[in-house]
Amino acid sequence: MAIMMPEADRAVLARRDEIVAALRAIVPGEGVIDSAAEMLPYESDGLMAYRQPPMVVVLPETTAQVSQVLKYCHGQGIKVVPRGSGTSLSGGALPLADGVLLGLGKFKRIREIDFDNRVVVTEPGVTNLAISQAVAHAGFYYAPDPSSQIACSIGGNVAENSGGVHCLKYGMTTNNVLGCELVLMTGEVLRIGGKCAENAGYDLMGLITGSEGLLGVVTEVTVRILQKPETARALMVGFAEVEAAGECVARIIGAGIIPGGMEMMDKPAIHAAEAFVHAGYPLDVEALLIIELDGPGVEVDELIGRVEAIANACGSTTCRISTSEAERNLFWAGRKAAFPAVGRISPDYLCMDGTIPRGALPKALARIRELSEKYQLGCANVFHAGDGNLHPLILYDANKPGEMERAEAFGADILRCCVELGGVLTGEHGVGIEKRDLMPEMFTEIDLNQQQRVKCAFDHLGLLNPGKVFPTLHRCAELGRMHVHGGKLAFPDLPRF
């Protein structure tokens, strides 16, 4: 592993058998996994470049069991890493050698569907897509739709503030989650928010959404559901130059048109997706835009005409408009399969995630091309073009000496470029370990210390998902959170790195 993580606590490892026995008493049956072979599936998440077997895996089924596990670990000074479906692409669920991996995979029930209030109350292990499927019969759906929605869990979506192809118009997870049940590291169970769109007091849901498992473990989520639009149609527009496609994106938004989704792929991504899905993508273009417009039929027809005119003015070379729901879904199938499709043309790839102002798209693409030449590595680009969220896929072969290191350096330079252009380090994948050491590129030490004080308020021992997000692990006492008496720290054994 090239990235540094907190040093393992030998005293905890020496008590492993005792810890496993205590956890089995809390979660009986098959709820505890401690053999090396059976723990292999948990050694990494979607960022498979980094792997670390956990000390033990615990799979609780109830909030009470989660509470007891956390309370026990808190009392024994044992680190805990929460994990959903493991589809994270930033290493947010990477285990620790001396830590308990707390899997929420058994929390698979939808607890309530409330059409009157247009909400669904669900457990965190339910997949994103399953929520939409559960309410489809009544003409409703859950708007955020990350490309991994068939596998990713709603709890993980909350942890990473996931987006998707339709987040341009309908928002990210944070715009569609109203409440949650949260278990703190001490075992205390909190209920935050609810079915109402507005709640009194601080916006704690806004704080928890995107907190990457550092503040608490989510055991229930209340999400907003929407009525399906009357009509949805998509345009597939090709361009001879990537810059022209970027200009088209800017002009559409500038015209006051907010598509349901607006995605871009460059030539390598187009060819990979077409070979994988056979969606009918044009292969002689440098960039492809997929633009979806939804709403009343008359409005959609009007907007299609306006968007087509804008695309023509920007020099589009091809334009195909969906004529059926099946064709619209086929347009999107290629885009949503872009990541696995690229996996067929390269032994390994790193999927980056940065966000820039829409107007900076041509500059970002030019810089990525320069970096590709500098590091002698290929790159396929897939973008949530409407909101400036970039997903460059850096192609490399981990079996060739030095290529992984070059890929990591290439990715880091892309993220630095995003910040230089006025953007941010992440759009929806989170910081995790992937971007942890790049946080000072965007935040000052004062900024980072203030953020970590929030972490200390929820988890003063720093036991919940340590080593993620913050480039340096501080004791809470060093940030003024804990009282230091007689020059002695209250928790002198808290590991640092």
Side-chain angles (χ1 to χ4, degrees):
M1 181 184 297
I3 197 159
M4 188 171 65
M5 294 298 288
E7 186 177 351
D9 188 331
R10 298 299 167 189
V12 169
L13 290 174
R15 295 188 288 120
R16 182 176 184 270
D17 291 344
E18 170 195 327
I19 293 167
V20 169
L23 293 172
R24 287 194 193 281
I26 298 171
V27 186
E30 298 180 345
V32 176
I33 302 173
D34 66 330
S35 75
E38 291 177 317
M39 290 193 298
L40 276 178
Y42 298 93
E43 68 177 0
S44 75
D45 55 18
L47 184 63
M48 297 180 70
Y50 307 108
R51 300 166 186 263
Q52 169 61 60
M55 178 175 67
V56 60
V57 176
V58 181
L59 304 174
E61 297 183 53
T62 67
T63 300
Q65 288 179 343
V66 172
S67 174
Q68 290 176 56
V69 168
L70 292 180
K71 184 176 181 180
Y72 169 76
C73 292
H74 181 265
Q76 298 295 317
I78 302 166
K79 302 162 192 165
V80 177
V81 176
R83 176 188 169 103
S85 295
T87 60
S88 167
L89 291 167
S90 63
L94 183 74
L96 298 169
D98 59 341
V100 171
L101 188 77
L102 184 70
L104 282 300
K106 291 189 176 183
F107 281 74
K108 288 190 174 296
R109 292 186 306 118
I110 290 179
R111 295 181 176 177
E112 182 185 2
I113 297 175
D114 183 347
F115 288 116
D116 289 340
N117 288 303
R118 298 195 175 192
V119 300
V120 169
V121 181
T122 177
E123 292 182 346
V126 173
T127 62
N128 176 290
L129 184 59
I131 297 175
S132 288
Q133 291 173 336
V135 298
H137 67 279
F140 286 82
Y141 74 112
Y142 178 59
D145 56 342
S147 294
S148 59
Q149 69 176 150
I150 192 172
C152 66
S153 62
I154 195 65
N157 287 185
V158 172
E160 304 294 356
N161 190 23
S162 302
V165 298
H166 291 95
C167 66
L168 170 63
K169 184 173 183 178
Y170 296 105
M172 310 279 285
T173 300
T174 191
N175 306 112
N176 292 276
V177 172
L178 299 175
C180 75
E181 181 179 75
L182 184 76
V183 185
L184 301 184
M185 189 65 214
T186 57
E188 182 180 358
V189 180
L190 306 178
R191 297 200 68 87
I192 298 168
K195 295 182 178 181
C196 298
E198 298 294 336
N199 289 283
Y202 293 119
D203 179 18
L204 294 179
M205 271 312 306
L207 181 66
I208 292 162
T209 306
S211 60
E212 304 198 32
L214 272 70
L215 306 184
V217 177
V218 174
T219 52
E220 180 186 282
V221 186
T222 301
V223 302
R224 185 200 318 270
I225 54 174
L226 303 177
Q227 243 179 337
K228 288 182 180 177
E230 175 188 309
T231 303
R233 295 176 68 192
L235 296 87
M236 189 164 65
V237 189
F239 294 86
E241 297 178 352
V242 174
E243 289 77 9
E247 177 65 20
C248 183
V249 170
R251 289 194 189 184
I252 289 170
I253 300 296
I257 301 169
I258 307 297
M262 184 155 52
E263 301 288 300
M264 181 191 294
M265 294 187 288
D266 69 358
K267 193 167 190 174
I270 295 166
H271 280 244
E274 177 60 20
F276 189 48
V277 175
H278 307 293
Y281 292 168
L283 300 178
D284 58 345
V285 299
E286 291 297 322
L288 184 70
L289 287 181
I290 302 175
I291 307 162
E292 181 167 292
L293 301 161
D294 60 17
V298 173
E299 179 184 348
V300 169
D301 290 342
E302 167 68 20
L303 291 177
I304 285 175
R306 291 176 62 189
V307 168
E308 190 174 13
I310 291 171
N312 288 335
C314 292
S316 63
T317 58
T318 65
C319 182
R320 181 175 157 196
I321 302 168
S322 67
T323 57
S324 67
E325 184 66 4
E327 189 175 29
R328 182 184 73 86
N329 288 332
L330 188 60
F331 287 3
W332 285 118
R335 163 59 188 92
K336 290 211 166 193
F339 290 3
V342 169
R344 301 174 75 209
I345 65 172
S346 177
D348 303 279
Y349 67 81
L350 283 180
C351 176
M352 307 309 297
D353 164 55
T355 302
I356 58 170
R358 278 185 294 266
L361 186 58
K363 291 182 180 178
L365 291 169
R367 180 61 176 149
I368 290 171
R369 282 197 295 269
E370 292 171 5
L371 291 170
S372 180
E373 294 177 6
K374 173 183 175 180
Y375 289 103
Q376 291 296 291
L377 294 172
C379 185
N381 290 291
V382 181
F383 308 133
H384 298 311
D387 60 350
N389 188 190
L390 315 182
H391 291 315
L393 307 175
I394 300 171
L395 314 181
Y396 73 101
D397 187 345
N399 293 317
K400 293 182 179 179
E403 281 212 1
M404 179 177 170
E405 289 74 17
R406 295 210 314 273
E408 289 178 313
F410 185 177
D413 279 349
I414 289 175
L415 295 175
R416 290 188 183 99
C417 172
C418 289
V419 174
E420 290 168 6
L421 292 173
V424 296
L425 290 171
T426 181
E428 58 176 337
H429 292 176
V431 176
I433 59 168
E434 179 199 35
K435 308 179 185 78
R436 182 194 69 190
D437 297 332
L438 290 170
M439 288 286 274
E441 300 283 340
M442 183 173 174
F443 298 105
T444 67
E445 184 176 356
I446 293 173
D447 294 331
L448 292 171
N449 285 344
Q450 286 293 84
Q451 291 178 39
Q452 200 158 44
R453 286 187 176 95
V454 175
K455 160 73 169 169
C456 292
F458 282 79
D459 174 26
H460 67 280
L461 297 185
L463 296 174
L464 199 54
N465 216 12
K468 316 292 172 60
V469 178
F470 298 109
T472 305
L473 182 64
H474 296 281
R475 289 187 173 102
C476 290
E478 295 171 331
L479 298 173
R481 170 64 180 83
M482 288 164 38
H483 180 60
V484 179
H485 179 68
K488 295 181 179 180
L489 296 173
F491 300 93
D493 296 328
L494 183 67
R496 299 180 63 194
F497 69 105

